[in-house]
Amino acid sequence: MAPLRKHDMRLRSARQEEIKEVWEDHWYGLVVCLSTVYTPSDVEGIALVDDQDDVVGLVTYQVDGPAGQIVTLDTLIRGRGFGRRLLEAVESKFHNLGLGRAWALMTNDNLRAAGLYLSRGYRLTRIHLDAIERVREHKPHLPDKGYEGIPIRDLWEFEKLGPLGVPVP
Ligand SMILES: CC(C)(COP(=O)(O)OP(=O)(O)OC[C@H]1O[C@@H](n2cnc3c(N)ncnc32)[C@H](O)[C@@H]1OP(=O)(O)O)[C@@H](O)C(=O)NCCC(=O)NCCS
């Protein structure tokens, strides 16, 4: 198989069954946020697809008033710039919807995702200590330790205020 290259990829709306499949594979089928539990039908998504129209990355989001929450961001192949491209795409979407705030939650072991968000101009605005206890009620199989052996305990909240969808200097 030829290597995947950035310019072979294109963005399009994600289909419900694609969101469902990625969430089954990566999120135990649902996403537990601070006071909400999302299932695939609660969100919309943007897919990054290859020349065969197969999904290589997916970002899902939910709009609430003037804010857009990035609910999940997944790339099937890491370190090729696909995460950045999806993040830019969802920000553009929010911008076109007239939203002035983008935000996302991640677990306290997810240094890679934190690096991506910070490099796109997001700021760590809240740390929800022990928020994973509630997540574990819905996902009893969630391991105690995550990336790099870091105990998973807290949720980090990252935020970016408008203008969204413009290059970060
Ligand atoms: C987080 C995730 C989406 C990143 O996707 P990716 O395709 O590997 O990311 P990219 O290749 O676009 O990297 C973009 C930026 O991330 C940052 N980054 C990547 N690896 C990093 C690391 N090890 N440490 C710090 N920052 C890092 C860099 O700023 C990088 O920019 P650069 O390539 O110009 O250096 C991907 O790792 C993933 O799917 N993780 C599992 C799901 C998840 O945790 N999602 C986030 C919470 S919803």
Side-chain angles (χ1 to χ4, degrees):
M1 191 179 84
L4 291 169
R5 288 165 304 184
K6 264 191 207 178
H7 58 264
D8 293 331
M9 308 292 149
R10 67 185 177 87
L11 295 159
R12 62 159 170 76
S13 296
R15 296 187 274 271
Q16 267 299 310
E17 63 268 21
E18 291 169 335
I19 298 176
K20 199 160 179 282
E21 193 177 333
V22 171
W23 280 29
E24 288 295 339
D25 288 348
H26 297 268
W27 299 99
Y28 301 92
L30 46 85
V31 175
V32 183
C33 294
L34 300 172
S35 56
T36 324
V37 179
Y38 291 117
T39 60
S41 59
D42 298 320
V43 296
E44 292 187 64
I46 301 170
L48 186 66
V49 297
D50 64 15
D51 56 355
Q52 306 292 311
D53 203 40
D54 289 331
V55 174
V56 296
L58 173 75
V59 60
T60 64
Y61 61 93
Q62 219 268 343
V63 174
D64 184 10
Q69 179 184 359
I70 299 161
V71 180
T72 62
L73 173 63
D74 287 282
T75 56
L76 275 52
I77 303 167
R78 310 262 156 93
R80 299 275 188 96
F82 298 162
R84 177 177 290 270
R85 188 151 167 209
L86 283 161
L87 194 50
E88 286 171 4
V90 74
E91 287 177 16
S92 292
K93 180 80 189 179
F94 288 169
H95 180 69
N96 293 338
L97 292 170
L99 309 183
R101 177 177 181 249
W103 68 285
L105 293 168
M106 66 203 65
T107 50
N108 65 286
D109 62 318
N110 205 342
L111 307 182
R112 184 176 185 84
L116 171 55
Y117 279 86
L118 289 167
S119 73
R120 284 284 312 156
Y122 286 74
R123 300 177 77 183
L124 175 61
T125 49
R126 288 187 192 85
I127 297 174
H128 303 277
L129 293 177
D130 298 315
I132 296 304
E133 286 173 14
R134 186 168 167 273
V135 178
R136 288 189 196 287
E137 288 170 16
H138 296 269
K139 301 184 182 187
H141 302 303
L142 193 73
D144 292 339
K145 292 185 177 176
Y147 298 111
E148 298 175 48
I150 300 172
I152 308 174
R153 291 182 179 143
D154 312 319
L155 283 176
W156 290 344
E157 184 174 329
F158 283 83
E159 173 185 86
K160 182 174 178 178
L161 301 178
L164 301 168
V166 294
V168 176

